[in-house]
Amino acid sequence: MIPSPTETRAPLLHDQRAPARALVTGASRGIGLALVRELLAHPQVVRITAVARQATRSDALAALRAEAGERLQCIDADLTDDQALADLATHLRGQHPTLDLVINAAGVLHGDGIRPEKSVTQVRRAALERVFALNAFAPILLAQALLPLLTGACVFASLSARVGSIGDNRLGGWYAYRASKAAQNQLMKTFAIELARRNPKACCLLLHPGTVDTSLSAPFQANVPAEKLFAPERAAAQLLGVIARATPADSGRFIAWDGTDIPW
């Protein structure tokens, strides 16, 4: 169910009160789905594009669309496929010339044949390539595809992770995931510099949501204190709060859910 929107809510973006159009990837579950739900509850948002590999076959998104109607459109797209990204951008340009908010919430930590490595002896090329394809390459190629739509005051945000911080790495392990998030950070930081030259009103953010109770983190929650394990809805609200407070001067920052900076 979509929470009831309230007219007293803060602007979706800093000093931006006009009707807003948003896009969320990884939108069929976890944080991505929670972000879609929170955005639908915001009175400023007039259209949300929910992108996932099987967005049109998601029961959760279908239920939201039954309530939201044309405010929510669901698009199937594999972010690791160049043609799919090009088709997504073409479709969006045909609807409206701009996007106000893009949040990339797609990512992979474990799955079929992929498991966080405890030792270098467990590192495999195939797993590295698959993890990097979604966690590192997809965000920057999504930004490239959507660049013509990022005009005026807008935010492009991508979910990173504290374990992607090289300066904060004290435990080791998780080679592919750590390295892919670190690579994403560098790619998006570089994009933020170029985006500022192209559009001084734009902001590019890397966001750490904390440990969220989703299928991605489920196998690794045993030692997480209850107060540090966030429900997806809480994580989504916190991330949107960080985004709402961000200005172009914050572009290129790597920020945790509580607004603090994370070392690169």
Side-chain angles (χ1 to χ4, degrees), residues 8-219:
T8 58
R9 291 189 67 168
L12 182 68
L13 306 179
H14 179 73
D15 284 341
Q16 163 62 293
R17 296 182 181 273
R21 291 168 174 78
L23 180 146
V24 178
T25 69
S28 62
R29 58 182 180 174
I31 301 175
L33 179 61
L35 285 165
V36 171
R37 190 177 286 112
E38 285 290 319
L39 287 167
L40 284 170
H42 200 293
Q44 188 181 351
V45 178
V46 295
R47 172 62 72 92
I48 302 169
T49 301
V51 179
R53 279 192 175 95
Q54 299 184 2
T56 60
R57 285 174 279 181
S58 165
D59 291 340
L61 286 175
L64 290 178
R65 196 170 194 283
E67 293 185 62
E70 294 303 314
R71 285 183 71 215
L72 175 63
Q73 68 170 339
C74 302
I75 296 180
D76 297 335
D78 180 352
L79 300 185
T80 66
D81 182 279
D82 290 347
Q83 188 58 54
L85 288 173
D87 291 345
L88 172 64
T90 298
H91 174 79
L92 293 170
R93 286 198 299 271
Q95 293 184 326
H96 196 272
T98 62
L99 280 170
D100 301 285
L101 174 62
V102 176
I103 307 178
N104 172 54
V108 60
L109 171 59
H110 60 88
D112 184 24
I114 298 176
R115 189 80 177 166
E117 310 92 343
K118 295 182 179 179
S119 165
V120 68
T121 60
Q122 298 174 338
V123 174
R124 299 290 183 269
R125 181 183 300 275
L128 286 169
E129 290 175 345
R130 287 174 60 192
V131 172
F132 265 73
L134 187 56
N135 291 352
F137 305 156
I140 193 62
L141 293 174
L142 176 69
Q144 179 190 63
L146 300 183
L147 184 59
L149 299 168
L150 300 177
T151 63
C154 63
V155 172
F156 185 103
S158 189
L159 299 197
S160 186
R162 186 178 294 274
V163 295
S165 166
I166 295 174
D168 193 59
N169 185 357
R170 298 177 180 84
L171 297 176
W174 290 32
Y175 284 83
Y177 190 73
R178 284 186 186 276
S180 65
K181 290 297 187 178
Q184 180 197 177
N185 290 352
Q186 179 68 290
L187 288 164
M188 297 311 298
K189 172 68 175 181
T190 304
F191 172 64
I193 294 170
E194 179 178 354
L195 184 62
R197 297 188 188 119
R198 289 175 174 267
N199 179 8
K201 294 182 179 180
C203 182
C204 176
L205 302 173
L206 289 149
L207 302 177
H208 167 58
T211 303
V212 184
D213 189 11
T214 65
S215 58
L216 184 143
S217 69

